[in-house]
Amino acid sequence: MRLGWLEVAGVAAATVASAKDLAYSPPFYPSPWSNGQGEWAEAYNRAVQFVSQLTLAEKVNLTTGTGWMQEHCVGETGSIPRLGFRGLCLQDSPLGVRDTDYVSAFPAGVNVAATWDKKLAYLRGEAMGQEHNGKGVDVQLGPVAGPLGRSPNGGRNWEGFSPDPVLTGALMAETIKGMQEAGIMACAKHFIGYEQEHFRQAPEAQGYGFDIDESVSSNIDDKTLHELYLWPFADAVRAGVASFMCSYNQINNSYGCSNSYTLNKLLKAELDFQGFVMSDWGAHHSGVGDALAGLDMSMPGDAVMGNGQTFWGTNLTIAVVNGTIPEWRLDDMAVRIMAAYYKVGRDRHQVPINFDSWTTDEYGYEHALVGQNYVKVNEKVDVRGNHAALIRQIGSSSIVLLKNEGALPLTGCEKFTAILGEDAGSAQGGANGCSDRGCDNGTLAMGWGSGTDNFPYLVTPEQAIQNEILSKGKGEVFAVTDNGNVDAIEQYASQATVSLVFVNADSGEGYINVDGNMGDRNNITVWQGADQVVKTATANCNNTILVIHGVGAVEAGEWNENPNITAIVWAGLPGQESGNSLVDVLYGRVNPGAKTPFTWGKDLDSYGTPLLMEPNNGKAAPQVDFTEGVFIDYRHFDKANETPVYEFGFGLSYTTFGYSSLYVQPIPTAPYGPASGQTKEAPSLGNYSTDYSDYLYPDNIDKIPLYIYPWLNSTDPKKASADPHYGLKTEDYVPEGATDGSPQSILPAGGGPGGNPGLYDEVYRVSAIITNTGKVLGDEVPQLYVSLGGPDDPKVVLRSFDRITLAPGQQFQWTTTLTRRDISNWDPASQNWFVSDYPKTVYVGSSSRKLPLQAPLPKLP
Ligand SMILES: *[C@@H]1O[C@H](CO)[C@@H](O)[C@H](O)[C@H]1NC(C)=O
Ligand SMILES: *[C@@H]1O[C@H](CO)[C@@H](O)[C@H](O)[C@H]1NC(C)=O
Ligand SMILES: *[C@@H]1O[C@H](CO)[C@@H](O)[C@H](O)[C@H]1NC(C)=O
Ligand SMILES: *[C@@H]1O[C@H](CO)[C@@H](O)[C@H](O)[C@H]1NC(C)=O
Ligand SMILES: *[C@@H]1O[C@H](CO)[C@@H](O)[C@H](O)[C@H]1NC(C)=O
Ligand SMILES: *[C@@H]1O[C@H](CO)[C@@H](O)[C@H](O)[C@H]1NC(C)=O
Ligand SMILES: *[C@@H]1O[C@H](CO)[C@@H](O)[C@H](O)[C@H]1NC(C)=O
Ligand SMILES: *[C@@H]1O[C@H](CO)[C@@H](O)[C@H](O)[C@H]1NC(C)=O
Ligand SMILES: *[C@@H]1O[C@H](CO)[C@@H](O)[C@H](O)[C@H]1NC(C)=O
Ligand SMILES: *[C@@H]1O[C@H](CO)[C@@H](O)[C@H](O)[C@H]1NC(C)=O
């Protein structure tokens, strides 16, 4: 019912917009064709060579998934049997190989952000890439920079890194490099403006009783898009990411995978992205429209997951033959996919797919959707290598010490240790007891949704703390993991030398509802009734140490004030080595060096960026206006003069650090100029027949029911398409200029990977001396912030950071650089970046609010 209408979604949205005065996304056509710039050159040439040998149907096969649950991976494209080219395997998730066994459960993205450690981000990316490669995966569906984290309760924030675009961008880039070094393709997602779970897909929202027909629209102005949400994606492109995933939501009332402004203009023209864009699962809404708007791959291939109909496949073949989609556009899709394939060396690294997403049994159906072909589907290949050590290290390196009144580190020889709270122990149903981790039982080490994988084991805090104390052979240790057992908690807390109290807060993806939370968190207080455990413990024990697991900030103001709470640590979502990582820090083997990658406000309201929890536009698309602009997280707190409980970038250590001797030196560079010139003409690779009988299903094929193929079952295209609207006049739905393959002007802000190359010129060198002024070895994260100086600019914005290790008394001269992008603003009028005349200041310190060093940035010549 929806399908025919959606075929013309691009035009319909425009009509609604002018009629109702809603935010509107301006068209940008034609879709830019790849050109093999920079480090893509060799891969591009090989891709052109490969695609030039393909028939039309074979090209279509590369672009279209075979359908939901029709093959082994969560998404698989068609194959090219004639050339021995198997379908590409696309698999979740950003923290490990989803839906299988003998894989590692890595710490979540938010923990990587808390490490502020580029090296660890790279190593995690590489380890995850190795595991995906070992299972036969071609594309790992991560990392995430959308959601960025506009609101602290956004359900999937933890899959990504931080609401700060520079921190996210740097770690995103390292993750991508690591993954692709391991020989698999990374996928930067979800592009763009995907900041809440509520209403991200109309059918899902209908399932929760919301009567809406269209997905939520994130209405974002051009300046905010460039200075905030697009920023980390530009870093992903510069890191050479192979693919992008467009998102479920709309941007200015045009769907993420139909939006020519975000895909054609921003991603492909301005950022000069050379890889391919795939749809999120179910985010593909129109056949011709989305192809022209810049989509390159339809996932999982069917229009509605499992319905056997497709916007592409058969329809894409027909649309090229009937002249609606120019052949060069299909060629470009295929070249982009194959260039990405060659760029990461898939031709050298690929191993057979040896697992199955739909069962962990050894035997299962080859085509699970239709229960066809019972075969061995799972070889149970153990791909974990020695990644446990890295996972433990990232876990301990991401533990943020928020408060410490001398209580930490512990010795393990405490006379009586009480471990209190459900979050310390194992879940009754086991660590994988709930599908896609869709519950909050026992200790929390992963959020829920498709951004998860199965634990191979989960070391609980209870287990690790017990081991620690037993190994010292001194104290007594008892755990109460039933939060309802107030008597036991009271009894143990009142006897304890130290009480370790565990609390958590969970969130996840919108298709699972946990305790009334439809992905997004309803509040930012703790779960499992844990606030009562804290109350009982602190009333009875004056040495209560709080351990917070979770997806982001929780209300911690009262705890911070409470004198009986002698220490607070945030351990995030640490993955399989949770308990081990924790005891390394609690018992002082690892000196905490993490910094909170988000702001801890006193409550949800203090962030000023509420999620939309009720539809606000009748049955039409709910509208979320990003009126706060770039002022999210600490930028908002600074602007509103709101004191956070813990500011962005804050984190304590068992030692102390001093900052001195800030030094700023301009680096001579050529002045910035707009990119100019013209692209080449769109290349057409090969020819094709316009006789529909050349595209009929081969006679000998054993057709799998509901499977997506590139072929036609009739020489009458209308019948073969089965689209009731087939044959609408093209001017009714093909946007102006969309089929034009002639040379196009290069955008002023374009011209290189991640945008105008001049943006990445280094224009200042900045150094400062950091000294370990305490008594133990420790890590510090020097942070560089800039004030751009204008009345509409945030007070400060993070621009550079590093994590360094210093021995007691050791001094280190930290040197970093600022690029032109770092000191620029976006000018919507000229559609380019510029350096404003406002006086600019550079700051260096240990958090967004502890900036002891500052100096003016001299004007650039
Ligand atoms: C959304 O609309 C705003 C306001 O007109 C405009 O600045 C921005 O470029 C638009 N963004 C997209 C993606 O259409
Ligand atoms: C398309 O892919 C399917 C699934 O792998 C395969 O059966 C079919 O032969 C392919 N078609 C062409 C034209 O290669
Ligand atoms: C072609 O697309 C239309 C929607 O635009 C859909 O109704 C039809 O089922 C598709 N055809 C095939 C063969 O999947
Ligand atoms: C061309 O084919 C596409 C895909 O089936 C269809 O949506 C469109 O209506 C056709 N256009 C014409 C002019 O026949
Ligand atoms: C998770 O906890 C809920 C609520 O206590 C319970 O109903 C459910 O059975 C538990 N599930 C598992 C797998 O432990
Ligand atoms: C916040 O949500 C959690 C999870 O649904 C719930 O356990 C808790 O009671 C809620 N907090 C308040 C104050 O309602
Ligand atoms: C702190 O703990 C002691 C027990 O050691 C208790 O007597 C006191 O009331 C507690 N204070 C608070 C503020 O809960
Ligand atoms: C904490 O309570 C213990 C006895 O329960 C007492 O010996 C100790 O002095 C108290 N510490 C503080 C800081 O009040
Ligand atoms: C494509 O071109 C080649 C070489 O000119 C020719 O042999 C072939 O018949 C053409 N194929 C089609 C489908 O037009
Ligand atoms: C041809 O395909 C269309 C669309 O999938 C379907 O509705 C129709 O039944 C098929 N016809 C035949 C003869 O298989």
Side-chain angles (χ1 to χ4, degrees):
M1 183 190 75
R2 292 160 51 80
L3 307 183
W5 186 88
L6 286 165
E7 181 69 15
V8 292
V11 175
T15 316
V16 171
S18 48
K20 286 201 184 164
D21 221 18
L22 296 177
Y24 165 70
S25 198
F28 185 92
Y29 296 98
S31 187
W33 39 93
S34 58
N35 56 40
Q37 50 90 344
E39 57 177 41
W40 286 80
E42 191 197 329
Y44 173 80
N45 289 335
R46 292 183 69 187
V48 166
Q49 236 173 35
F50 183 86
V51 173
S52 299
Q53 314 166 52
L54 303 185
T55 67
L56 181 55
E58 287 168 342
K59 291 174 192 171
V60 168
N61 246 12
L62 278 180
T63 68
T64 307
T66 53
W68 178 239
M69 292 179 75
Q70 286 285 19
E71 291 290 346
H72 302 284
C73 304
V74 296
E76 255 182 79
T77 66
S79 60
I80 305 172
R82 184 175 64 89
L83 299 177
F85 186 86
R86 79 153 200 233
L88 296 176
C89 164
L90 290 75
Q91 190 71 9
D92 296 311
S93 79
L95 57 63
V97 192
R98 183 183 175 209
D99 286 332
T100 185
D101 44 16
Y102 301 99
V103 295
S104 301
F106 288 86
V110 67
N111 282 64
V112 179
T115 69
W116 296 61
D117 191 326
K118 294 168 209 169
K119 185 84 198 292
L120 288 179
Y122 178 90
L123 291 174
R124 172 176 167 275
E126 188 182 40
M128 294 193 303
Q130 287 163 352
E131 296 200 8
H132 279 84
N133 189 54
K135 290 281 184 185
V137 175
D138 295 291
V139 185
Q140 178 184 352
L141 301 174
V144 172
L148 186 65
R150 176 177 179 257
S151 310
N153 53 332
R156 297 180 79 178
N157 291 356
W158 55 271
E159 289 188 43
F161 300 92
S162 159
D164 182 87
V166 168
L167 182 54
T168 290
L171 299 173
M172 177 103 173
E174 292 304 318
T175 303
I176 289 164
K177 287 181 200 162
M179 285 164 66
Q180 297 194 163
E181 184 59 32
I184 52 118
M185 294 181 255
C187 174
K189 67 184 195 177
H190 308 82
F191 195 67
I192 188 171
Y194 174 37
E195 295 294 328
Q196 64 170 54
E197 295 306 290
H198 275 76
F199 322 126
R200 66 184 190 143
Q201 293 194 89
E204 182 179 280
Q206 288 158 10
Y208 291 129
F210 293 110
D211 187 16
I212 56 166
D213 291 337
E214 300 296 337
S215 301
V216 65
S217 178
S218 297
N219 303 326
I220 315 177
D221 67 85
D222 211 31
K223 185 172 186 296
T224 301
L225 210 49
H226 279 86
E227 294 183 5
L228 187 61
Y229 296 101
L230 188 63
W231 186 292
F233 286 116
D235 292 323
V237 174
R238 268 178 75 75
V241 72
S243 67
F244 262 64
M245 185 190 288
C246 48
S247 56
Y248 287 125
N249 59 287
Q250 306 193 61
I251 307 97
N252 287 8
N253 294 291
S254 170
Y255 277 93
C257 299
S258 314
N259 193 311
S260 65
Y261 191 93
T262 55
L263 298 181
N264 284 345
K265 183 174 186 188
L266 295 180
L267 181 57
K268 290 185 172 175
E270 192 177 312
L271 302 185
D272 210 7
F273 173 57
Q274 299 292 310
F276 64 97
V277 178
M278 72 180 80
S279 66
D280 202 341
W281 275 230
H284 190 178
H285 290 291
S286 119
V288 173
D290 290 5
L292 299 174
L295 184 71
D296 301 306
M297 184 187 280
S298 175
M299 275 294 142
D302 26 27
V304 172
M305 278 149 71
N307 81 341
Q309 300 176 6
T310 180
F311 290 113
W312 285 4
T314 308
N315 270 319
L316 186 53
T317 304
I318 298 172
V320 174
V321 174
N322 75 18
T324 307
I325 295 176
E327 190 210 356
W328 61 256
R329 179 72 268 268
L330 175 64
D331 290 346
D332 182 52
M333 296 174 190
V335 167
R336 285 172 175 277
I337 292 163
M338 291 310 298
Y341 174 92
Y342 288 121
K343 182 162 191 295
V344 304
R346 284 311 292 155
D347 52 328
R348 287 178 283 120
H349 293 284
Q350 200 175 58
V351 301
I353 299 163
N354 53 48
F355 73 103
D356 188 79
S357 296
W358 323 113
T359 177
T360 46
D361 293 345
E362 258 183 281
Y363 285 80
Y365 291 106
E366 196 179 351
H367 310 294
L369 180 76
V370 290
Q372 198 163 300
N373 234 14
Y374 196 74
V375 291
K376 187 162 185 182
V377 291
N378 193 1
E379 305 286 343
K380 297 194 178 275
V381 179
D382 191 331
V383 293
R384 291 174 291 171
N386 59 354
H387 299 156
L390 176 66
I391 290 168
R392 180 171 181 165
Q393 187 191 356
I394 296 171
S396 59
S397 300
S398 59
I399 291 176
V400 187
L401 181 61
L402 294 167
K403 175 179 180 179
N404 189 13
E405 304 294 328
L408 290 177
L410 299 166
T411 62
C413 300
E414 289 74 20
K415 195 148 194 200
F416 189 120
T417 300
I419 302 168
L420 305 174
E422 178 179 339
D423 181 67
S426 49
Q428 284 183 7
N432 296 325
C434 301
S435 165
D436 293 339
R437 311 297 78 77
C439 63
D440 182 19
N441 294 12
T443 194
L444 182 70
M446 212 183 270
W448 77 75
S450 67
T452 58
D453 72 350
N454 292 332
F455 288 104
Y457 58 80
L458 173 53
V459 179
T460 66
E462 177 187 359
Q463 181 186 351
I465 294 165
Q466 297 240 20
N467 286 344
E468 191 76 29
I469 290 166
L470 298 186
S471 75
K472 300 279 166 33
K474 292 266 198 306
E476 294 196 344
V477 55
F478 300 96
V480 182
T481 54
D482 174 0
N483 284 358
N485 196 339
V486 181
D487 289 348
I489 292 167
E490 196 176 289
Q491 190 201 330
Y492 286 115
S494 60
Q495 292 177 45
T497 327
V498 57
S499 293
L500 293 163
V501 175
F502 288 80
V503 304
N504 75 34
D506 202 358
S507 75
E509 191 173 353
Y511 66 92
I512 300 175
N513 177 335
V514 178
D515 197 24
N517 299 269
M518 294 164 230
D520 301 319
R521 279 190 285 169
N522 292 333
N523 63 50
I524 60 164
T525 57
V526 292
W527 293 37
Q528 300 177 332
D531 30 13
Q532 190 53 49
V533 180
V534 179
K535 282 204 178 83
T536 308
T538 53
N540 293 285
C541 175
N542 64 6
N543 188 21
T544 302
I545 295 173
L546 217 59
V547 178
I548 306 170
H549 283 120
V551 291
V554 294
E555 288 182 19
E558 269 184 40
W559 303 334
N560 192 46
E561 301 296 316
N562 188 327
N564 278 1
I565 298 182
T566 49
I568 304 178
V569 300
W570 178 83
L573 302 170
Q576 70 191 40
E577 291 283 325
S578 176
N580 287 336
S581 301
L582 182 69
V583 293
D584 285 345
V585 168
L586 293 183
Y587 295 93
R589 277 186 299 278
V590 170
N591 185 351
K595 306 279 183 176
T596 176
F598 48 79
T599 300
W600 296 64
K602 71 174 192 305
D603 55 25
L604 193 48
D605 288 343
S606 61
Y607 291 83
T609 44
L611 299 180
L612 183 73
M613 303 296 237
E614 296 289 331
N616 62 356
N617 191 24
K619 290 179 66 144
Q623 302 289 310
V624 180
D625 297 328
F626 286 32
T627 50
E628 72 285 347
V630 299
F631 293 93
I632 66 169
D633 201 75
Y634 68 90
R635 299 151 176 233
H636 163 78
F637 282 78
D638 286 348
K639 186 183 185 200
N641 227 344
E642 165 94 31
T643 307
V645 179
Y646 305 115
E647 75 271 16
F648 175 80
F650 171 76
L652 300 168
S653 163
Y654 298 154
T655 186
T656 50
F657 296 95
Y659 283 76
S660 61
S661 311
L662 181 65
Y663 182 66
V664 180
Q665 181 192 21
I667 304 172
T669 41
Y672 183 70
S676 60
Q678 298 257 301
T679 69
K680 293 201 188 107
E681 176 181 24
S684 275
L685 309 177
N687 54 4
Y688 61 95
S689 151
T690 50
D691 180 349
Y692 287 108
S693 66
D694 288 336
Y695 301 99
L696 292 174
Y697 276 88
D699 296 333
N700 53 355
I701 187 177
D702 192 4
K703 214 174 147 188
I704 301 152
L706 301 178
Y707 203 88
I708 307 299
Y709 294 98
W711 292 301
L712 284 57
N713 66 3
S714 161
T715 53
D716 175 351
K718 188 176 165 75
K719 273 194 196 147
S721 157
D723 183 348
H725 299 277
Y726 185 89
L728 271 183
K729 284 199 300 253
T730 52
E731 53 267 38
D732 289 342
Y733 62 93
V734 174
E736 202 182 323
T739 59
D740 179 5
S742 68
Q744 301 292 311
S745 300
I746 291 169
L747 298 180
N756 191 314
L759 291 171
Y760 299 94
D761 287 344
E762 296 181 334
V763 292
Y764 298 105
R765 181 167 292 114
V766 181
S767 67
I769 291 183
I770 326 293
T771 310
N772 183 340
T773 52
K775 294 196 171 54
V776 288
L777 180 98
D779 284 7
E780 175 62 326
V781 178
Q783 300 165 39
L784 183 155
Y785 293 80
V786 166
S787 158
L788 295 173
D792 299 329
D793 290 320
K795 187 171 172 202
V796 293
V797 286
L798 178 75
R799 285 300 188 247
S800 183
F801 62 91
D802 271 306
R803 182 160 173 157
I804 58 178
T805 303
L806 294 177
Q810 191 184 346
Q811 291 201 334
F812 177 77
Q813 183 173 36
W814 180 56
T815 304
T816 185
T817 54
L818 289 173
T819 64
R820 183 175 279 106
R821 180 174 68 147
D822 289 331
I823 55 159
S824 295
N825 288 98
W826 179 255
D827 176 32
S830 67
Q831 286 290 293
N832 204 350
W833 297 89
F834 73 109
V835 178
S836 76
D837 287 334
Y838 297 110
K840 306 194 188 319
T841 313
V842 61
Y843 301 85
V844 173
S846 61
S847 84
S848 61
R849 289 186 170 215
K850 293 196 180 60
L851 297 167
L853 307 179
Q854 69 173 79
L857 282 173
K859 270 214 156 101
L860 292 182

